[in-house]
Amino acid sequence: MSPRFPYKALSLVLAVLLGGCASQSELAALRLDTNNPQYRSEDCQSSIAGSAVHRDIKNITMVAAPVLVVLSAGLLLPVVAANAGLDAADRIDASNLTNRCGGQGESGGEIAGSVAAGAALGVATGLAPK
């Protein structure tokens, strides 16, 4: 084992953690086909510009959610429910953005499944990731 291995492992962990900082709306905007004629439409461009709001909300909740659980004497379910609601809004906006820009957004069932999986993970681990 080379002495550089811990640095590679640390780099991988940091990449995974930092990759989790992007909202679903931002990720959807990055995956868009810029050659699609709808990409240049006003609806598409305004949706892309609006995706930054979800990044800011996600970054705030990543800090605030654990603090709220501690300050509320461990009331986890309200925090999980709030995060699930924010996650659903982000995923719905990401799907709408994709549709406005010429792509195929997620269905309501796919969104609901992703939100439910995130909430279940949050309950299992003690806090829902957004």
Side-chain angles (χ1 to χ4, degrees):
M1 188 162 24
S2 73
R4 293 177 42 145
F5 176 73
Y7 296 110
K8 288 180 182 179
L10 179 62
S11 297
L12 177 63
V13 169
L14 287 175
V16 168
L17 291 175
L18 292 175
C21 293
S23 69
Q24 293 300 313
S25 297
E26 282 185 304
L27 294 173
L30 292 172
R31 290 188 294 254
L32 294 173
D33 178 8
T34 57
N35 294 322
N36 189 309
Q38 284 181 277
Y39 180 82
R40 290 178 283 287
S41 72
E42 187 176 326
D43 280 346
C44 176
Q45 293 304 308
S46 66
S47 293
I48 292 170
S51 68
V53 168
H54 289 290
R55 178 198 59 233
D56 295 340
I57 291 171
K58 182 172 184 174
N59 289 336
I60 290 167
T61 58
M62 286 175 61
V63 173
V67 172
L68 288 173
V69 170
V70 170
L71 292 177
S72 68
L75 294 176
L76 178 65
L77 291 180
V79 175
V80 170
N83 278 351
L86 293 170
D87 186 27
D90 183 22
R91 289 177 183 279
I92 290 167
D93 285 350
S95 181
N96 290 338
L97 179 147
T98 303
N99 289 335
R100 286 184 188 118
C101 297
Q104 179 67 37
E106 289 186 310
S107 70
E110 292 170 325
I111 292 170
S114 297
V115 171
L121 180 64
V123 170
T125 61
L127 191 59
K130 181 178 171 325

